[in-house]
Amino acid sequence: ERALLIALPAPALVHWSIDGWQTVHDTETGDTELGLHAIELDAALFRDARQIDFTLQWRDSGNWAGKNFQVAIGDGARSANP
């Protein structure tokens, strides 16, 4: 199975959902020691989902990204749609 990796240039809280924001999860990024901060969401978490919605809160400033991001899930779905 695949996983979704969200890699960012700075530490952030990733606020995400697989059911259209009805249930939300907050995951802190970790330092990859490669100049990026990332989270990896295991495919088992979203096996029955059609998309993952997420937004970010930057830890250094506390500012939110100001928009939501969506990743489609399923056969042939491989792109992120800002």
Side-chain angles (χ1 to χ4, degrees):
E1 291 192 8
R2 297 182 180 162
L4 173 65
L5 179 70
I6 300 173
L8 304 165
L13 173 86
V14 180
H15 185 70
W16 60 278
S17 178
I18 59 170
D19 59 9
W21 298 111
Q22 293 180 35
T23 307
V24 296
H25 309 274
D26 291 327
T27 306
E28 295 282 346
T29 60
D31 188 345
T32 65
E33 298 184 13
L34 298 171
L36 297 171
H37 298 264
I39 65 166
E40 183 175 339
L41 301 178
D42 190 283
L45 294 172
F46 47 86
R47 182 171 291 135
D48 297 324
R50 301 187 96 187
Q51 72 182 28
I52 297 173
D53 298 294
F54 68 95
T55 191
L56 314 166
Q57 182 183 36
W58 300 108
R59 286 316 201 189
D60 58 353
S61 66
N63 293 332
W64 287 90
K67 62 182 176 178
N68 295 337
F69 303 90
Q70 295 178 337
V71 177
I73 300 171
D75 293 337
R78 296 179 188 261
S79 63
N81 301 312

